[in-house]
Amino acid sequence: MTRITTHILDTSLGQPAVNVRVWLECIEGQNVTLISEIQTDADGRAAKLTPEPVTSGHYRLCADIGAYFAATGRETLYHSAIIDVVIDGDQDHYHLPLLISPYSYSTYRGS
């Protein structure tokens, strides 16, 4: 069983993306189950995204970056950022940082 966390950074401003709505879904065939939904903290982190460890499987980490950019008075191309991953439950932790700007986003597996 494993935990999933994220850290969202606004690279256009060089600072954490605060109060971004983030949610985690489990994908099983055509079924999508909401696991959790939280806001990023003052450091742009969603450390308690998985209050309980998750098992191996297909997950989708989503961030409402459209609302974040609207709240900061900026236009954006993207309504949401989606990280679609397959998790190995034998790993202790998956940290999936998200780097955002109004016209791009990227991710990687962090530590």
Side-chain angles (χ1 to χ4, degrees), residues 8-21 63-81 98-106:
I8 305 178
L9 299 170
D10 183 336
T11 58
S12 64
L13 298 178
Q15 63 189 30
V18 178
N19 293 324
V20 178
R21 183 173 67 98
D64 188 357
I65 62 174
Y68 165 78
F69 286 116
T72 60
R74 295 179 286 162
E75 292 184 15
T76 183
L77 177 63
Y78 299 103
H79 176 72
S80 60
L98 182 58
L99 308 175
I100 63 172
S101 70
Y103 297 102
S104 69
Y105 70 88
S106 64

Side-chain angles (χ1 to χ4, degrees), residues 2-3 86-88 91-97 107-111:
T2 190
R3 292 180 311 111
V86 175
I87 297 295
D88 177 355
Q91 301 288 315
D92 285 338
H93 180 219
Y94 279 81
H95 183 59
L96 304 172
T107 187
Y108 58 96
R109 181 170 180 190
S111 57

Side-chain angles (χ1 to χ4, degrees), residues 22-36:
V22 179
W23 64 98
L24 181 67
E25 301 170 334
C26 180
I27 314 297
E28 295 176 296
Q30 298 298 317
N31 297 323
V32 178
T33 304
L34 179 66
I35 302 297
S36 67

